[in-house]
Amino acid sequence: MSASQLSVVAYGHGKVNMYFAVGAPEANGYHPVASLYASTSLKETISIHSTKNTGITLSAEVASDSLLDQMQQDGVFDLSVVPLDSRNLAYRAAEAVLHEHGLGTHDVAFRIHLVKAVPVAGGMGGGSADAAATIRAVDEFLLKSSMTTSLLPDSAYHRIAASLGADIPFALHTGIAIGSGVGDQLQPLELPSTVEPLPVVLVSSAQGLSTPTVFHELDRGRMHGDYPPAEDVLAVPDGLLEALVADTAPIARLYEISRYIRNDLGAPACTLAPELTKVLGIESEGLIASFVSGSGPTIVLLMDSAEEAQKLASSLRRRGGYAIAAYLQ
C-alpha cells in the first residue's frame, strides 16, 4: 500500500469506575483516589488516513445504534460540541507521539477520524478512549509509512497518556485494573477465563457534567458536611477484588460484587443533576445495583443477565430514555 493510500484503525473503550474513593485535594489541586476501572463494550473507533495537505486534521461522526445516536436523533446531542482542532485530546495525543519520534505536525499529512459511541461528558472517558487509541494508531501509521523504524515502547505510551489525563493510561488497555495516585498508577486484575463479563445497562443523560465541576462540588459539600469526609487511607476493598475473580455461581458473584460498589462522585453529580436520582431509583426485574459512572451523568445498572439487560434497555428507550445494553469486560 502506498503512503497516499495508507490508513490505520484502532479502538478505545469507554470505562466505568466500580469503586471510586476520593481523598482530599493535595497542594497541586489534584485528588488522590482508589479506583477500580472496568472497560465497557462501548468503544470509539479511531482511523488515521493519509491526506494531501500537510498537518493533522480531524473529522468525526456518530456511531449508528449507539447512545450518542439515540441522543442525536432526539435532538439533544450535537456533534459540534466535539472540537476538531488542537483542543481535542486525540489531536494532542497525535502531537505527543510525533514529538516522541522527533517529528512535528509539519512533517506529516493525515486525518484523524473519530467514530463516537461513548457519551460526551458522560463520565465514561470517551475523550480518554480517543486519545489512547490515537496514540497507538498514529504510532502504527508512522511505522507503516516508513517515517519511523520501530514502534514506541509501552513505557512511552504510558508516559504520553499520563501527561494528557488521569484516565488515559487505563484507556490504553481493556479489562479491569486498580488505579491509585490520581488514577494513573495501574495494577491490572487478571480474571479467570471461566468468569463471565458483567451485564449492564448504560443510561445516558442530555445534560453533560464537567469532571472538574463535580470534583469542586464534592470539595464544597465535604467542607459543609453534605457528603462523608475524605478518608486518610484509600484502597479498593479486598472483598471486591475477591468477588470479581471468584469462580462461583454467576448470580451470587454479582450480588457479592454489588456490596462493594462505591463512587464518591455520585452524590455530587446528583446534586448538580437531580434528575439522575430517578434513574438510580429504578426498580426492575434482574436489576442488582445502580451507580453513577465516574463524574456522571451516565448511570450504570448492573443486571443479573444479558437478557434482562436487553429487556430493560428496550423498556427505557420506549419510555423516552437513552439506554443501551452492554457489559463490563
Side-chain angles (χ1 to χ4, degrees), residues 46-292:
I46 309 299
S47 54
I48 312 294
H49 305 275
S50 301
T51 60
K52 295 181 179 179
N53 297 324
T54 300
I56 300 173
T57 55
L58 268 72
S59 58
E61 65 178 293
V62 171
S64 60
D65 300 321
S66 65
L67 278 171
L68 282 182
D69 190 26
Q70 294 174 30
M71 298 169 71
Q72 183 172 254
Q73 290 190 35
D74 208 27
V76 298
F77 174 74
D78 188 337
L79 191 58
S80 66
V81 302
V82 177
L84 299 178
D85 53 28
S86 59
R87 294 171 294 167
N88 193 295
L89 276 174
Y91 188 103
R92 292 164 56 195
E95 281 188 311
V97 173
L98 293 176
H99 180 75
E100 285 285 330
H101 286 291
L103 300 169
T105 56
H106 59 278
D107 296 310
V108 297
F110 61 75
R111 174 170 56 92
I112 304 171
H113 185 65
L114 315 176
V115 182
K116 302 287 296 177
V118 177
V120 175
M124 292 188 62
S128 296
D130 292 343
T134 299
I135 291 170
R136 295 192 181 280
V138 169
D139 201 25
E140 184 179 347
F141 180 90
L142 295 176
L143 180 64
K144 288 188 173 182
S145 59
S146 300
M147 296 191 69
T148 62
T149 58
S150 64
L151 295 173
L152 295 172
D154 285 345
S155 59
Y157 286 175
H158 189 277
R159 184 174 64 254
I160 292 170
S163 72
L164 295 171
D167 285 342
I168 301 176
F170 175 73
L172 286 168
H173 312 282
T174 57
I176 295 177
I178 300 166
S180 56
V182 295
D184 59 333
Q185 300 173 27
L186 300 175
Q187 179 185 342
L189 182 66
E190 296 295 332
L191 301 185
S193 59
T194 50
V195 302
E196 296 293 327
L198 305 177
V200 296
V201 174
L202 300 171
V203 185
S204 195
S205 169
Q207 176 182 350
L209 285 175
S210 158
T211 298
T213 300
V214 179
F215 270 102
H216 179 76
E217 168 59 22
L218 174 65
D219 293 338
R220 184 212 62 77
R222 281 176 166 173
M223 187 180 303
H224 293 86
D226 297 336
Y227 311 125
E231 298 171 0
D232 293 331
V233 179
L234 302 173
V236 176
D238 289 339
L240 176 54
L241 304 178
E242 292 166 0
L244 283 164
V245 302
D247 191 8
T248 56
I251 299 297
R253 174 174 173 256
L254 287 165
Y255 274 105
E256 185 66 13
I257 289 169
S258 71
R259 292 180 54 208
Y260 297 98
I261 289 174
R262 166 180 171 176
N263 182 5
D264 286 357
L265 297 182
C270 289
T271 297
L272 296 169
E275 68 274 13
L276 299 182
T277 58
K278 296 179 181 178
V279 181
L280 289 169
I282 285 175
E283 294 183 2
S284 175
E285 185 173 351
L287 175 60
I288 293 177
S290 58
F291 57 99
V292 175

Side-chain angles (χ1 to χ4, degrees), residues 25-36:
E26 298 178 334
N28 60 9
Y30 287 95
H31 296 73
V33 303
S35 172
L36 190 72

